[in-house]
């Protein structure tokens, strides 16, 4: 049989733990958001690096062609 009357100490403990659990869920949400943000940034930076390397490659090729055309 379950008792339904809590002592003041039990009530305070129950309320404190419920608040703590809610706080932990909020922290978990913040951490997940932070991780998702950094995953997005890493993905974006990887794409930007790829595009940069491609543009540099094009520039080098054009420069090498220009040098060859001008006998340099």
């Amino acid at each position: 049989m379950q008792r339904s009357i809590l002592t003041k100490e039990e009530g305070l403990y129950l309320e404190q733990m419920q608040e703590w659990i809610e706080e932990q869920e909020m922290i978990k949400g913040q951490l997940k958001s932070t991780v998702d943000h950094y995953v997005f940034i890493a993905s974006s930076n990887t794409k930007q690096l790829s595009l940069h390397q491609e543009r540099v490659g094009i520039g080098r090729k054009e420069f090498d062609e220009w040098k060859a055309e001008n006998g340099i």
Side-chain angles (χ1 to χ4, degrees):
M1 182 177 195
Q2 196 175 11
R3 65 186 176 121
S4 60
I5 299 174
L6 299 175
T7 66
K8 184 170 183 161
E9 180 69 26
E10 290 170 331
L12 288 172
Y13 176 73
L14 180 62
E15 188 175 344
Q16 183 180 17
M17 287 306 296
Q18 287 171 335
E19 290 297 320
W20 180 82
I21 290 168
E22 188 176 314
E23 180 182 9
Q24 299 312 304
E25 288 299 317
M26 183 185 69
I27 291 170
K28 180 176 82 174
Q30 290 173 336
L31 290 170
K32 183 177 180 340
S33 178
T34 299
V35 168
D36 291 346
H37 177 74
Y38 281 106
V39 166
F40 170 78
I41 288 174
S43 175
S44 178
N45 286 350
T46 300
K47 180 67 175 176
Q48 289 179 34
L49 174 60
S50 175
L51 293 170
H52 174 75
Q53 290 171 324
E54 188 175 339
R55 290 185 65 129
V56 168
I58 291 169
R60 286 189 90 171
K61 181 181 176 203
E62 289 175 355
F63 178 64
D64 289 342
E65 289 171 357
W66 175 84
K67 286 190 325 184
E69 289 170 2
N70 290 284
I72 298 174

